Amino acid sequence: MPTAAGPLSRLHISDPRERAIVAAADRVLGAGAAVARVFRRRQRPTAPQRILLLRLERIGDLVMALPAIADVRALAPDATIDLVVGSWNRRLAEAIRPVTSVRTLDAEWLAREGGGLGVPTLLRAARAWRRDHYDLAINFEPDVRSNLLLAAAGAAWTAGYRSGGGGPLLDAAFDYDVGRHTTDNARGLVASTFERTPPIPSDATLVLPPSAVAAAAEGLAGSHGLLVGLHASGGRAIKQWEPSRFAEVARRLVVATEATIVLTGSAADRAIVDEVKATLPPGRVIDVAGAIDLLELAAILQRLDLMLTGDTGPMHLAAAVGTPVVAVFGPSDPARYAPRGPSDHVVRVSLPCSPCNRIRLPPARCVGHTPDCLALVATDDVFDAAMTVLRSARPRWPSAPAAV
């Protein structure tokens, strides 16, 4: 579980200048919070009826929080649970069974292609949540900016991590354990906030709407035998295994198993998808990249026998719907981000500098080319891991009849 510590506990911020700024801000906030507590006593709610949860980041971050969200529901079975996510995750969040309603807020440090809102605008939006009179608010992100939003929402009791700054803004602030999986940190945060664990094991469920299930059936119509998903885009250059290597593994899988390769990705991934697609047998490829939304993607992933990818949002989504995953990891730390299903495999190389986990601020020596921790991952190892899964696999969904 997260551990409470002193106000100057070590910040998990890579950039020294940013870390110094946040540490100084925390000292100021800590002094202000100490004065405020003299005039305002706050008490942890024993049975919160209105709960606000923040998870503003990308697809994988939300998916890894699903068990913690389920824990909140188990510990507060009658509460209204509102979840705040980035707009890119709205449909996915709406499919989470324990959630009552979904709000969206796009932060500029998380939105891509120059979008998103700055902190002043975000704070105005968060202050508007005060009218809902939340008993409890929990921030699953170790970030001083989202802790500011949580404080602005005016909940009777707030909880989150101090490790990204902003701990003095919270009623209960805990350290994020970088040696634990993100899911375990989130569940520990919930348990520490409620000061107890769920009485019975809990699990969040993605309820896929019939329209998404139908779209998946249509998208895979005519396929036969094993279905192997391939998400070749790493999302960031620092996490990108060479697309040509993904393509090589896919070609070998087609030859070895007669599998059909299902190419996934966003519209922005089109160049990578086309590079891979051009080398694959046309009769053994289904390309859904850029043509489906998140819930349709989840429904397609649910039908696959294997998902081959890097450390990506679709990797986490595949794991959430029970599809075996083979994931190529480079700078990302598997201890924090790896899929953990019984058939999942992470393929990586062990280097003194890896995993550095410096995704948003990569080391200068790794910029502009594939970092060594990915360049040294052999296609043979990825192929062998995939074959280990497929040898024990049976088609997870009845094959659609061939078109006549």
Side-chain angles (χ1 to χ4, degrees):
M1 290 186 183
T3 56
L8 297 181
S9 61
R10 184 172 63 87
L11 296 171
H12 301 150
I13 300 173
S14 299
D15 185 276
R17 181 174 178 273
E18 182 181 344
R19 186 167 59 249
I21 292 172
V22 172
D26 271 3
R27 284 191 288 269
V28 174
L29 292 170
V35 173
R37 289 190 188 99
V38 174
F39 301 98
R40 184 181 63 156
R41 296 187 178 277
R42 293 167 67 86
Q43 185 173 358
R44 185 193 309 265
T46 56
Q49 293 301 301
R50 295 194 63 83
I51 299 174
L52 180 70
L53 306 178
L54 258 65
R55 198 46 164 142
L56 301 179
E57 297 186 85
R58 308 306 301 184
I59 299 170
D61 302 293
L62 175 59
V63 172
M64 287 187 287
L66 292 181
I69 295 171
D71 287 349
V72 173
R73 171 56 72 207
L75 292 165
D78 300 320
T80 294
I81 299 177
D82 295 340
L83 175 63
V84 186
V85 299
S87 61
W88 45 84
N89 277 336
R90 173 186 277 279
R91 290 210 68 205
L92 185 61
E94 290 172 343
I96 302 173
R97 186 182 294 276
V99 171
T100 306
S101 67
V102 175
R103 301 178 186 270
T104 61
L105 207 58
D106 292 359
E108 63 181 357
W109 62 91
L110 298 171
R112 293 180 179 168
E113 299 172 356
L117 305 173
V119 170
T121 305
L122 294 173
L123 286 172
R124 286 195 294 272
R127 281 195 291 269
W129 303 338
R130 289 173 176 261
R131 61 174 175 264
D132 292 305
H133 304 290
Y134 289 107
D135 303 308
L136 172 65
I138 301 174
N139 181 17
F140 288 117
E141 300 164 24
D143 191 295
V144 62
R145 294 161 295 192
S146 50
N147 279 342
L148 279 167
L149 300 183
L150 203 73
W157 189 262
T158 58
Y161 301 113
R162 72 171 82 248
S163 306
L169 296 166
L170 306 171
D171 295 303
F174 303 95
D175 286 325
Y176 187 97
D177 185 348
V178 296
R180 301 180 72 201
H181 198 276
T182 301
T183 293
D184 295 337
N185 269 294
R187 299 190 79 172
L189 173 60
V190 171
S192 296
T193 301
F194 281 83
E195 296 186 320
R196 63 187 189 277
T197 56
I200 57 174
S202 54
D203 192 19
T205 303
L206 290 176
V207 182
L208 303 181
S211 59
V213 175
E218 181 180 354
L220 300 177
S223 62
H224 295 277
L226 297 173
L227 290 172
V228 176
L230 175 56
H231 190 88
S233 172
R236 296 175 182 268
I238 194 65
K239 296 198 296 181
Q240 182 65 61
W241 198 45
E242 287 289 342
S244 61
R245 295 190 178 191
F246 273 121
E248 179 186 338
V249 174
R251 288 195 302 273
R252 293 174 64 180
L253 292 176
V254 171
V255 172
T257 69
E258 296 186 346
T260 295
I261 306 299
V262 181
L263 300 176
T264 64
S266 68
D269 298 327
R270 176 46 58 188
I272 290 175
V273 173
D274 286 345
E275 178 182 345
V276 172
K277 185 177 179 179
T279 71
L280 300 178
R284 288 291 176 179
V285 179
I286 297 175
D287 180 359
V288 299
I292 55 176
D293 65 23
L294 271 181
L295 294 184
E296 292 166 352
L297 174 61
I300 284 178
L301 295 177
Q302 194 173 50
R303 291 171 172 247
L304 301 181
D305 300 286
L306 171 68
M307 183 62 174
L308 175 61
T309 179
D311 171 27
T312 63
M315 175 194 76
H316 293 290
L317 196 55
V321 297
T323 297
V325 173
V326 170
V328 179
F329 268 58
S332 302
D333 188 352
R336 293 173 65 175
Y337 304 117
R340 301 194 293 181
S343 300
D344 296 340
H345 290 254
V346 167
V347 185
R348 61 179 297 269
V349 294
S350 181
L351 298 176
C353 59
S354 177
C356 67
N357 216 50
R358 293 179 59 181
I359 307 303
R360 293 180 180 168
L361 187 65
R365 67 180 182 278
C366 297
V367 176
H369 61 91
T370 303
D372 291 345
C373 56
L374 281 172
L376 294 174
V377 174
T379 54
D380 283 349
D381 293 337
V382 178
F383 173 77
D384 289 344
M387 286 299 298
T388 297
V389 174
L390 293 177
R391 284 191 185 102
S392 61
R394 300 192 186 283
R396 303 183 73 229
W397 208 269
S399 296
V404 295

